[in-house]
Amino acid sequence: MTKRIIAPHPQVRETLLIQWQSILEILAEFMEVPVALIMSLTKDEFTVFAKNESSLNPFNVGDTDRCHNSGLYCERVINTNQRLFVNNALESDEWCKNPDIEFNLVNYLGFPLHWPNGDIFGTLCVLDTKAHQYTDKQERLMVQFRNMIEVNLELLEKNLKLENLSKNLEYLANTDELTDIWNRRAFIAESEKELQRAVRNEHPVCLLMLDIDDFKLINDQFGHEVGDEVLKLFCHGIMAIKRSYDIFGRIGGEEFAILLPETKQTEAVELAERIREKVANIFFHTQQQKVGITVSIGVCQLTPLDTVLSGLNKADKILYTAKRAGKNQVQNQLTD
């Protein structure tokens, strides 16, 4: 039995519920029954996905039942992948464990619902408290509604694929391919949002510029593949020490930046020192050699007049005072 997890966008799900409830209202009236349901199958559970709004319908959207040896009519439909008609469940020992009998729902007609590739979505069914047959016209209408719902499922699947594709494209557009952190464009965009929020709330925000010392020598001596691995290790180390709400991005080459919300300059310097110490303990083993790295960091607190770009420019100038002063250190102000 094939199962899927149903996770459409909330707006898509709401649209489906409105459309499917209308179908169920018409179906219940035409079939002359108190209950019409669309049941979905998710992780071995049946869930009431949609229902008609009759006061005689005892079910609520979101109600669930286990589908393993449950005795439910719907489980038989799923297991056989076929139409099921039960005229009167009370006349058969087969249905004595069916929970629906508690509501005196002894009459059932249901059809399986499928995703476009044939996987089971769930069932479309009607239930009644009295035994009776359905006319050919009634069954044909139910089949037509089943077909309409499956067309909706096809559109839903296409929508989900487009949504996932959009998310993947957004991720690729915003992420540095090598290090899997924000790229320059995304870093600036995300940081600008945070900076504007900080200005509105009059909260401090700081910016770190980081540059791996003598990175060109690593590339020249060991090759760009080793250089790439060093960059990955560096980012992994930063991710392990930065706070969850700090914004970390690759600005270019071996230059990186971290925006620190809710952070005063003294606190930013302390964090920068922890990062510097962490990086100094990173080693990459290659060609029976141990390659170590260090980082120089410039720290600046942004003002309400700053943009992220002007802040990057300030922090970059401070960074290069650290470079001129001997590297592997943190600076928080310009020096002559």
Side-chain angles (χ1 to χ4, degrees):
M1 181 166 57
T2 309
K3 300 174 285 294
R4 292 190 185 188
I5 296 177
I6 306 157
H9 187 280
Q11 290 181 343
V12 175
R13 189 179 190 279
E14 187 65 28
T15 300
L16 280 182
L17 284 175
I18 293 171
Q19 293 177 352
W20 289 359
Q21 184 181 334
S22 297
I23 287 175
L24 294 177
E25 299 292 354
I26 296 170
L27 186 62
E29 181 178 354
F30 192 76
M31 303 292 277
E32 299 180 343
V33 296
V35 178
L37 302 172
I38 293 173
M39 305 290 292
S40 63
L41 179 63
T42 307
K43 289 185 176 179
D44 295 322
E45 275 190 342
F46 284 115
T47 301
V48 178
F49 197 87
K51 51 163 281 193
N52 68 307
E53 288 299 320
S54 169
S55 60
L56 299 176
N57 188 333
F59 301 105
N60 296 304
V61 171
D63 286 350
T64 60
D65 267 304
R66 300 291 295 175
C67 69
H68 181 63
N69 296 325
S70 64
L72 290 167
Y73 304 119
C74 290
E75 184 173 358
R76 174 67 62 83
V77 175
I78 295 298
N79 288 338
T80 62
N81 198 22
Q82 292 180 354
R83 164 194 178 276
L84 173 67
F85 170 66
V86 178
N87 184 37
N88 188 347
L90 297 178
E91 294 179 350
S92 171
D93 294 337
E94 184 178 7
W95 301 108
C96 62
K97 295 182 180 179
N98 189 335
D100 294 335
I101 293 178
E102 296 179 10
F103 303 112
N104 198 32
L105 295 171
V106 299
N107 183 268
Y108 176 89
L109 177 62
F111 292 84
L113 294 171
H114 300 93
W115 291 95
N117 70 346
D119 287 357
I120 291 290
F121 171 86
T123 62
L124 169 66
C125 57
V126 294
L127 300 97
D128 203 350
T129 56
K130 59 182 182 294
H132 59 87
Q133 300 285 333
Y134 294 94
T135 67
D136 288 343
K137 183 180 291 187
Q138 286 175 318
E139 288 219 25
R140 287 199 305 271
L141 177 69
M142 196 163 175
V143 169
Q144 287 301 314
F145 281 155
R146 188 271 312 272
N147 294 342
M148 290 172 59
I149 292 167
E150 289 186 341
V151 169
N152 289 156
L153 288 174
E154 183 176 4
L155 294 174
L156 172 60
E157 183 166 79
K158 289 179 179 178
N159 179 279
L160 291 173
K161 287 179 178 178
L162 288 173
E163 191 173 296
N164 289 334
L165 177 60
S166 176
K167 288 179 180 177
N168 289 336
L169 290 174
E170 183 178 4
Y171 174 81
L172 291 173
N174 291 334
T175 306
D176 179 64
E177 184 177 2
L178 177 65
T179 59
D180 207 32
I181 63 173
W182 293 119
N183 59 26
R184 177 186 174 88
R185 183 190 66 81
F187 172 83
I188 292 173
E190 292 299 312
S191 296
E192 197 63 55
K193 294 177 191 175
E194 181 57 43
L195 181 57
Q196 291 173 10
R197 186 191 69 81
V199 170
R200 286 196 305 270
N201 296 319
E202 298 183 350
H203 291 169
V205 59
C206 285
L207 186 63
L208 308 184
M209 279 289 290
L210 307 89
D211 186 272
I212 300 175
D213 297 325
D214 301 317
F215 184 72
K216 184 177 184 301
L217 295 178
I218 295 174
N219 275 335
D220 292 343
Q221 185 174 354
F222 301 104
H224 287 279
E225 288 187 6
V226 171
D228 288 349
E229 291 302 317
V230 168
L231 290 174
K232 292 177 186 177
L233 283 171
F234 171 80
C235 289
H236 181 75
I238 302 299
M239 292 296 292
I241 199 170
K242 81 173 190 67
R243 301 165 304 184
S244 60
Y245 50 85
D246 295 334
I247 302 172
F248 179 38
R250 186 181 182 188
I251 304 305
E254 66 274 20
E255 275 199 335
F256 299 83
I258 308 176
L259 189 86
L260 307 176
E262 311 288 339
T263 307
K264 297 178 181 178
Q265 184 153 313
T266 54
E267 298 168 329
V269 170
E270 290 175 3
L271 178 60
E273 283 289 355
R274 291 201 301 273
I275 290 173
R276 186 194 62 77
E277 292 174 4
K278 175 81 173 179
V279 172
N281 290 317
I282 294 175
F283 294 95
F284 183 81
H285 295 270
T286 181
Q287 300 174 9
Q288 298 182 341
Q289 295 186 57
K290 188 165 70 170
V291 180
I293 60 173
T294 61
V295 64
S296 298
I297 305 175
V299 181
C300 75
Q301 183 165 337
L302 303 184
T303 72
L305 298 178
D306 276 319
T307 64
V308 174
L309 286 175
S310 68
L312 286 172
N313 186 52
K314 286 182 182 179
D316 191 56
K317 290 177 180 178
I318 297 171
L319 164 66
Y320 277 94
T321 68
K323 290 286 190 182
R324 290 192 297 269
K327 304 176 184 178
N328 188 26
Q329 59 182 273
V330 174
Q331 286 283 345
N332 62 9
Q333 59 184 353
L334 292 172
T335 60
D336 294 333

